[in-house]
Amino acid sequence: MSLLLPLFAIMLIPFAAAGLGLIHAGLGRSRSAAHALLATLCVLAVTAIVFILVGFAWTGYNGGRSYSAITAGVAWNWIGAGPYMIGGAGFDDASAPVAIRLCFHIFAVGLAGVIAIGAGADRWRLGAICISTAIFAGILYPLFAHWVWGGGWLAQLGVTFGLGSGMIDAGGSAVVQSTGGLTALAIACLLGPRRGKYGADGMATAIPGHNIVLVLFGCILALVGWTGLNSAGVMIFYAASSGRIVLVVIDTLLAASAAALAALAVTRFRFGKPDATLTANGWVAGLVASSAGCAFLAPSAAIFIGLIAGGVVPYAVELFELKLFVDDPGGSISVHAGAGLWGTLAAGLFAAVAPGMRGPQILAQLVGVSTLLGFVLPVAYGANWLLHKIGSQRVDRDGDYQGMDIRELGAGAYPEFVVHSDEFVPR
Amino acid sequence: MSLLLPLFAIMLIPFAAAGLGLIHAGLGRSRSAAHALLATLCVLAVTAIVFILVGFAWTGYNGGRSYSAITAGVAWNWIGAGPYMIGGAGFDDASAPVAIRLCFHIFAVGLAGVIAIGAGADRWRLGAICISTAIFAGILYPLFAHWVWGGGWLAQLGVTFGLGSGMIDAGGSAVVQSTGGLTALAIACLLGPRRGKYGADGMATAIPGHNIVLVLFGCILALVGWTGLNSAGVMIFYAASSGRIVLVVIDTLLAASAAALAALAVTRFRFGKPDATLTANGWVAGLVASSAGCAFLAPSAAIFIGLIAGGVVPYAVELFELKLFVDDPGGSISVHAGAGLWGTLAAGLFAAVAPGMRGPQILAQLVGVSTLLGFVLPVAYGANWLLHKIGSQRVDRDGDYQGMDIRELGAGAYPEFVVHSDEFVPR
Amino acid sequence: MSLLLPLFAIMLIPFAAAGLGLIHAGLGRSRSAAHALLATLCVLAVTAIVFILVGFAWTGYNGGRSYSAITAGVAWNWIGAGPYMIGGAGFDDASAPVAIRLCFHIFAVGLAGVIAIGAGADRWRLGAICISTAIFAGILYPLFAHWVWGGGWLAQLGVTFGLGSGMIDAGGSAVVQSTGGLTALAIACLLGPRRGKYGADGMATAIPGHNIVLVLFGCILALVGWTGLNSAGVMIFYAASSGRIVLVVIDTLLAASAAALAALAVTRFRFGKPDATLTANGWVAGLVASSAGCAFLAPSAAIFIGLIAGGVVPYAVELFELKLFVDDPGGSISVHAGAGLWGTLAAGLFAAVAPGMRGPQILAQLVGVSTLLGFVLPVAYGANWLLHKIGSQRVDRDGDYQGMDIRELGAGAYPEFVVHSDEFVPR
């Protein structure tokens, strides 16, 4: 297969980032809209540069140099050992298979980095976003990506412990979405809620997104980006046949479709009217959940996975917002961590496996899920907690009153439009 | 040719749906904008799921199982007979040629389904949209698509009656655009005009679209989507050579360009100033008209086809709005049915044909046009009339006052912006 | 390599035009937003039609018919001599290599034509835009494109004068961006500033862009468009290997990323707060600068080129606005001409060259830069000056008060939104 085929798929991934950027901006306040999208642009920039400087060396690739720790006779391949500054990657045809991996990663890590912006909307400082994202792209993503996509220990679970094919994650439900979504959880907890979100009595105020057109349009962009993301991942890491790559695109659309309709139905029956933003969140959750198994799922399984992802999202959003008092304007935690973990597990439940390998494959996926919860989340929290101690990641009180655009950028996103956007912040 | 080449073209089709979604939302009222785009998302979701459950079985593919009725010694191949739930389609390399057809169809039927939203803007209930679209994707589109793209009787007209190559429709002027556009006509007639559109004296009120930026931006997205749609259709159904596929992209751009300039010129000379929304409608009409013949037209023919499509649109819009009292905020009838029928016919007039086959080819296209008007339109009208009897497809009086967003979704699209949008609805 | 691979890359180029269109509209006033995007659509339409009628005949292609002037024993190949109306280009597989060049050019010339709209924002008449752009697409672009991409004298500098590989411009820093950017300079000078931009005392008023969401979203679209543009150019004109085309996509992202961060840092340290619109301009400047060398640059060189492009943009914008009194709302001059010339030169400084060819290659690029400044700019100015004499290209005084939308199109872009947009125009 020509290398250019995965390259074209990669070239569509920015639409996923653009879609999430619009969704986050639209679900935030009008006075923080420019900030949200500038943050998206900055995250794409920071991740690309940091990943090429150091991240790719540690991510490595299957067959590349890496470090292993030998414990109890098993080699735990835990980090890549490539040269920094991609010193070793040439761009002649011989080294092109490495270059295409690098190319995929710099777009995928950008997408993963964008996720947390939704959870920190309306209060996460731009400088902190850049530094936090640099750590994410330089250390956290490379480590986990190496484990799953770089020949690391999670990918080797099949060889080392007989767990099916090892952990599988065709398009990144775990590597891209869950790492980003768990970082979002860490950020939302550290920043605390927006001023005015919760009253003194603990009652939550519903602060509506300022532009639902952006949110829903972003969903369609995300679909295109995801067809690129999933098919590129499958082509690059799983060397799938053409027929399977057609299946990837079909399954991606089906999962998103089922999830959107599930979220629509759930909100319709619970609230009497369907909720547009939760339906949008459902759509994206379907995309997220489709990624891990997309190349190995029957269409009916993709529909089922989507139904669960989309049906759960409204409850998950409510859980975080009303019970756990975690203010996540973009729904990033529920959509990316929640559906990402579900998709990772579901790939074990439904992917085509060799006879007798269902149990081991599920176990491999559960090891992946446990690693995300037991390692990625604490590290993401710890690193961002440290940053937060060094200098607050949250905007100051003036920012709550002025909005992020005026406070941090000195100008609003919509200077000619008359808006009323200050009614939620208590005086 | 690798299957992945048409797949990449297919992956761009959602931009056509996104473009139409933005155009419809932008040409509607601000208080229905979220509804218009949520409807777009729901249509994509419903069509994908319904089509995979039952639609593809009836659409079938050239060489697949189908039912024929023998009349006067001629076999009328009228419906596919594949298994439901795509039971028979595998995703190994052997069955991939069927899978790529399925993949094309689930994106094309979504695009076709989106068209009618423009005609029902500001008053078509979301639940009715979903049910009406399910019927469209489950029955109407599969039947007609089978006839043209699945080896059905319209495609066989060349073999059975010596009509050139049978009806040709490379990118779907008939199968996608006209079926959608004629459904739009049925919907607009059934729903009746928006309250306030026509005064007691029958005078029409010009209700301007609320966001022309969305409309014009949507046009460029639609161009990208159409290059994908047309080239994918040509690759999959007409097995064209590489040179012809380059021609498809060139002709698509030329037809849209000529059509936009024609609409610009017509409105400039009739009204003294060019009309932005009619120029946008003209652009899309050019895309629509280009589809049927795009692989078989000289560039000069594509320009001519576009000029007619774009030049006629302003008159067609006026005819429906002022003479026939059909309220079609998005212009979907004129743009998709009007230019779709014209493009279908024009493929017969201008496509390269074997010597002596001009007349028969034109006749084949006319049979297709007649089938659209004599079968698709009545069925679309009848099915939606029945739905309308069972439960009104139109929003109630409250919806006219509140707008679709508040009435059906419980929240507006632009909650922070100050708008004045109630001046058109009489108290 | 299949012709369809460059074709897919070409199909993404409209996103670059869409991105610039949104950036220009967003950086202009709300009351000219529909006009800005309608102008974008018209430019795409006019350039496509004019280029296919006459432009391609003069652009020609390497190995096609052309005219040469013999001076001092050197053949200066200065213009293509193909048939008009692309009479000679067939669309069978034999002539497909010519057809793919034509296809690339009609999208690239559209992108180049869109650039000047940003400089003429809020005051350039639509009719004048169409005529000016027709001249650009019919004469100016074809001439320069022939010289660099059609086997003309700039491409031949290596053969005729031993200057390295002749002038190289993989993705169009010179051919697309600089020709467009220098035309923007001519237009901005001829039109003069917007009323209210400069006070009687020469003090500039900062007129903020009306929608920064459009601007920043446009940047991500532009990234996708540029990956298409750069990779298509490399595939078509430089027959690069697959590995190099992967490098193109990586370098494009890196240059944009470095440039955005550089502009962010410069504005942060100069003004105390980062400036969102200048960061967006920086991002695009990085894309622009990446084009010429993208296939031949190490990633570190792409980062460096981006850093310079983005770091200089804020100063360049200030120079034109505050010192030279050139009102360029979209920043098109600094971004496209400035970074375009820098990218053209930088390709000589950093591209991989044969040993001992660094100096000659730099010289070849400098000849290209000099030709842009010494020929393209004067011709663009002269032609537009002539047009301006025949009939003013600038809107009349009423247009300054009403905005372009009302004055030229008779309707606003946002008719339902309450805006306050008249405070900058003196009574």
Side-chain angles (χ1 to χ4, degrees):
Chain A
M1 185 190 306
S2 167
L3 275 172
L4 295 181
L5 295 173
L7 185 65
F8 286 123
I10 291 170
M11 284 160 67
L12 297 180
I13 298 178
F15 289 116
L20 295 189
L22 291 181
I23 291 171
H24 297 159
L27 290 175
R29 315 291 313 279
S30 66
R31 50 200 208 153
S32 304
H35 191 271
L37 278 164
L38 184 62
T40 303
L41 212 61
C42 288
V43 163
L44 296 182
V46 166
T47 52
I49 301 224
V50 168
F51 192 81
I52 208 137
L53 290 184
V54 300
F56 190 58
W58 295 331
T59 303
Y61 51 93
N62 208 332
R65 293 206 306 138
S66 60
Y67 296 112
S68 294
I70 313 284
T71 307
V74 173
W76 302 80
N77 183 331
W78 71 282
I79 192 167
Y84 298 122
M85 282 292 297
I86 60 163
F91 292 94
D92 50 5
D93 280 357
S95 52
V98 175
I100 193 78
R101 278 162 176 74
L102 166 63
C103 190
F104 176 83
H105 280 300
I106 59 173
F107 284 90
V109 70
L111 175 60
V114 164
I115 292 167
I117 298 173
D122 299 338
R123 61 206 191 285
W124 198 10
R125 290 176 49 240
L126 185 62
I129 290 174
C130 289
I131 297 170
S132 171
T133 304
I135 294 173
F136 177 82
I139 302 175
L140 196 59
Y141 176 95
L143 265 185
F144 197 78
H146 175 74
W147 298 347
V148 181
W149 285 341
W153 69 273
L154 283 168
Q156 299 294 323
L157 285 175
V159 179
T160 50
F161 290 96
L163 298 185
S165 310
M167 181 184 161
I168 55 173
D169 187 13
S173 289
V175 182
V176 178
Q177 308 303 327
S178 297
T179 58
L182 293 171
T183 303
L185 174 55
I187 291 296
C189 291
L190 284 166
L191 296 178
R194 292 172 285 182
R195 272 182 68 82
K197 176 69 192 175
Y198 298 104
D201 55 356
M203 284 286 285
T205 305
I207 304 180
H210 88 282
N211 191 331
I212 309 307
V213 166
L214 296 185
V215 174
L216 293 164
F217 170 58
C219 287
I220 308 185
L221 289 188
L223 168 67
V224 177
W226 247 267
T227 62
L229 175 74
N230 285 352
S231 62
V234 167
M235 284 187 259
I236 292 173
F237 300 120
Y238 295 90
S241 66
S242 294
R244 294 238 152 248
I245 297 163
V246 176
L247 179 64
V248 166
V249 174
I250 294 172
D251 279 352
T252 304
L253 174 59
L254 289 177
S257 298
L261 295 177
L264 188 86
V266 165
T267 54
R268 165 71 184 75
F269 288 108
R270 290 191 67 206
F271 311 140
K273 291 182 178 180
D275 186 286
T277 63
L278 287 172
T279 303
N281 276 339
W283 173 275
V284 180
L287 293 171
V288 166
S290 77
S291 290
C294 55
F296 316 109
L297 301 172
S300 53
I303 292 175
F304 181 78
I305 290 173
L307 284 176
I308 302 294
V312 168
V313 154
Y315 296 96
V317 165
E318 208 172 272
L319 171 72
F320 282 105
E321 180 179 349
L322 302 184
K323 297 289 176 353
L324 303 177
F325 301 98
V326 173
D327 186 14
D328 174 11
S332 292
I333 303 166
S334 308
V335 170
H336 296 275
L341 294 172
W342 159 241
T344 305
L345 176 60
L349 296 172
F350 300 107
V353 294
M357 279 297 156
R358 177 67 60 205
Q361 188 63 53
I362 293 174
L363 202 55
Q365 302 303 108
L366 279 173
V367 174
V369 168
S370 310
T371 308
L372 284 162
L373 292 173
F375 176 82
V376 170
L377 177 58
V379 171
Y381 189 89
N384 280 293
W385 176 87
L386 201 66
L387 275 185
H388 198 49
K389 285 288 138 186
I390 296 170
S392 174
Q393 296 205 41
R394 194 191 201 289
V395 77
D396 58 14
R397 203 179 165 89
D398 283 356
D400 277 302
Y401 287 114
Q402 299 172 349
M404 300 301 283
D405 287 355
I406 296 293
R407 182 66 188 87
E408 290 225 285
L409 309 177
Y414 307 107
E416 298 188 7
F417 293 88
V418 178
V419 296
H420 48 92
S421 62
D422 54 359
E423 61 269 43
F424 292 105
V425 183
R427 293 290 162 182
Chain B
M1 186 189 307
S2 166
L3 275 172
L4 295 180
L5 295 173
L7 185 65
F8 285 123
I10 290 170
M11 285 160 68
L12 297 180
I13 299 179
F15 289 118
L20 294 189
L22 291 182
I23 291 171
H24 298 157
L27 290 175
R29 314 293 311 278
S30 67
R31 50 200 208 154
S32 304
H35 192 272
L37 278 164
L38 184 62
T40 303
L41 212 62
C42 288
V43 162
L44 296 182
V46 166
T47 51
I49 301 222
V50 168
F51 192 81
I52 208 137
L53 291 182
V54 300
F56 190 58
W58 296 332
T59 303
Y61 50 92
N62 207 333
R65 294 207 305 136
S66 61
Y67 296 112
S68 293
I70 313 285
T71 307
V74 172
W76 302 80
N77 183 331
W78 72 281
I79 193 167
Y84 299 122
M85 282 290 300
I86 58 163
F91 292 94
D92 49 5
D93 280 356
S95 54
V98 175
I100 194 77
R101 279 164 175 71
L102 166 63
C103 191
F104 177 83
H105 280 301
I106 60 172
F107 283 91
V109 69
L111 175 60
V114 164
I115 292 167
I117 298 172
D122 299 338
R123 61 206 192 284
W124 198 11
R125 290 177 49 240
L126 186 61
I129 290 174
C130 289
I131 298 171
S132 171
T133 304
I135 295 173
F136 177 81
I139 302 175
L140 195 59
Y141 176 94
L143 266 185
F144 197 78
H146 175 72
W147 297 347
V148 181
W149 286 341
W153 67 274
L154 284 168
Q156 298 295 322
L157 284 176
V159 178
T160 49
F161 290 97
L163 298 185
S165 310
M167 182 183 161
I168 55 173
D169 187 12
S173 289
V175 181
V176 177
Q177 307 303 327
S178 298
T179 59
L182 293 170
T183 303
L185 174 56
I187 291 297
C189 292
L190 284 165
L191 297 177
R194 292 172 285 181
R195 272 182 68 82
K197 176 69 192 174
Y198 298 103
D201 54 356
M203 282 286 285
T205 306
I207 303 180
H210 89 282
N211 192 330
I212 309 306
V213 167
L214 297 184
V215 174
L216 293 164
F217 170 58
C219 287
I220 308 185
L221 289 187
L223 169 67
V224 177
W226 247 267
T227 61
L229 175 74
N230 285 351
S231 61
V234 167
M235 284 187 259
I236 293 172
F237 300 119
Y238 295 90
S241 66
S242 293
R244 294 237 153 249
I245 297 163
V246 176
L247 178 64
V248 165
V249 174
I250 294 172
D251 279 352
T252 304
L253 174 59
L254 289 177
S257 298
L261 295 178
L264 188 87
V266 165
T267 55
R268 165 70 183 79
F269 287 108
R270 290 191 68 206
F271 312 139
K273 291 182 179 181
D275 187 287
T277 64
L278 287 172
T279 303
N281 277 339
W283 172 275
V284 179
L287 293 171
V288 166
S290 76
S291 289
C294 55
F296 315 109
L297 300 172
S300 53
I303 292 174
F304 181 79
I305 290 173
L307 284 176
I308 301 293
V312 168
V313 153
Y315 295 96
V317 166
E318 207 172 272
L319 171 73
F320 282 105
E321 181 180 351
L322 302 185
K323 297 288 175 355
L324 303 176
F325 301 99
V326 173
D327 186 15
D328 174 10
S332 292
I333 303 167
S334 307
V335 169
H336 296 275
L341 294 172
W342 159 240
T344 305
L345 176 60
L349 295 172
F350 300 107
V353 293
M357 278 298 155
R358 177 67 60 204
Q361 188 62 52
I362 293 174
L363 201 55
Q365 301 303 107
L366 280 173
V367 173
V369 167
S370 309
T371 308
L372 284 162
L373 292 173
F375 176 82
V376 170
L377 177 58
V379 171
Y381 189 89
N384 280 293
W385 176 87
L386 200 66
L387 276 185
H388 199 50
K389 286 286 139 189
I390 296 169
S392 174
Q393 296 204 43
R394 195 189 201 290
V395 77
D396 59 12
R397 204 177 163 89
D398 283 356
D400 277 301
Y401 288 112
Q402 298 172 351
M404 300 301 284
D405 287 356
I406 296 292
R407 181 69 188 85
E408 290 226 284
L409 309 178
Y414 306 107
E416 298 188 7
F417 292 88
V418 179
V419 296
H420 48 92
S421 61
D422 54 358
E423 63 267 43
F424 293 105
V425 183
R427 294 291 163 182
Chain C
M1 185 190 309
S2 166
L3 274 173
L4 295 180
L5 296 172
L7 186 65
F8 286 123
I10 290 171
M11 285 160 67
L12 297 179
I13 299 179
F15 289 117
L20 295 189
L22 291 181
I23 292 171
H24 297 159
L27 289 175
R29 315 293 311 279
S30 68
R31 51 199 207 154
S32 304
H35 191 272
L37 278 164
L38 184 62
T40 303
L41 213 61
C42 288
V43 162
L44 296 182
V46 166
T47 51
I49 302 229
V50 168
F51 192 80
I52 208 137
L53 291 183
V54 300
F56 190 57
W58 296 331
T59 302
Y61 50 93
N62 207 331
R65 293 208 304 138
S66 61
Y67 297 111
S68 294
I70 313 283
T71 307
V74 172
W76 302 80
N77 184 331
W78 71 282
I79 192 166
Y84 298 121
M85 283 291 299
I86 58 163
F91 292 95
D92 49 6
D93 279 356
S95 53
V98 174
I100 193 78
R101 278 164 175 74
L102 166 62
C103 190
F104 176 84
H105 280 300
I106 60 172
F107 284 90
V109 69
L111 175 60
V114 165
I115 293 167
I117 298 172
D122 299 338
R123 61 205 191 286
W124 197 11
R125 292 177 48 240
L126 186 61
I129 291 174
C130 289
I131 297 171
S132 171
T133 304
I135 294 173
F136 177 81
I139 302 176
L140 195 59
Y141 176 93
L143 265 184
F144 196 77
H146 175 73
W147 297 348
V148 181
W149 286 341
W153 68 273
L154 283 168
Q156 299 295 323
L157 284 176
V159 179
T160 49
F161 290 97
L163 297 185
S165 309
M167 181 182 161
I168 55 173
D169 187 12
S173 289
V175 181
V176 178
Q177 307 303 328
S178 297
T179 58
L182 292 172
T183 303
L185 174 55
I187 291 297
C189 291
L190 285 165
L191 297 178
R194 292 172 284 180
R195 273 183 67 80
K197 176 68 191 175
Y198 297 104
D201 55 355
M203 283 288 284
T205 305
I207 304 179
H210 88 283
N211 192 330
I212 309 306
V213 167
L214 296 185
V215 174
L216 293 164
F217 171 58
C219 287
I220 308 185
L221 289 188
L223 169 67
V224 177
W226 246 267
T227 61
L229 175 74
N230 286 351
S231 61
V234 167
M235 284 188 259
I236 292 173
F237 300 120
Y238 295 90
S241 65
S242 294
R244 294 238 153 248
I245 297 163
V246 176
L247 179 64
V248 165
V249 174
I250 294 172
D251 279 351
T252 304
L253 174 59
L254 288 177
S257 298
L261 295 178
L264 188 85
V266 165
T267 55
R268 166 71 184 77
F269 287 108
R270 290 192 67 207
F271 311 140
K273 293 183 178 181
D275 186 287
T277 63
L278 287 171
T279 303
N281 276 341
W283 173 275
V284 179
L287 293 171
V288 165
S290 77
S291 289
C294 55
F296 316 109
L297 300 173
S300 53
I303 292 175
F304 180 79
I305 290 173
L307 284 176
I308 301 293
V312 168
V313 153
Y315 295 97
V317 165
E318 207 174 271
L319 171 73
F320 282 105
E321 180 179 350
L322 303 185
K323 297 288 174 359
L324 302 177
F325 300 99
V326 173
D327 186 14
D328 173 12
S332 292
I333 303 167
S334 307
V335 170
H336 296 276
L341 294 172
W342 159 240
T344 305
L345 176 61
L349 295 173
F350 300 107
V353 293
M357 277 298 156
R358 176 67 61 206
Q361 188 63 51
I362 294 175
L363 201 55
Q365 302 303 107
L366 280 174
V367 174
V369 167
S370 309
T371 308
L372 284 162
L373 292 173
F375 176 82
V376 170
L377 177 57
V379 171
Y381 189 88
N384 280 294
W385 177 86
L386 200 65
L387 276 185
H388 198 49
K389 286 287 139 188
I390 297 169
S392 174
Q393 295 204 44
R394 195 190 201 288
V395 76
D396 58 13
R397 202 177 165 91
D398 283 356
D400 277 301
Y401 287 113
Q402 299 172 351
M404 300 301 284
D405 287 356
I406 297 292
R407 182 68 189 85
E408 290 225 284
L409 309 177
Y414 306 108
E416 298 188 6
F417 292 88
V418 178
V419 295
H420 48 92
S421 61
D422 54 358
E423 62 268 45
F424 293 106
V425 183
R427 294 289 161 184

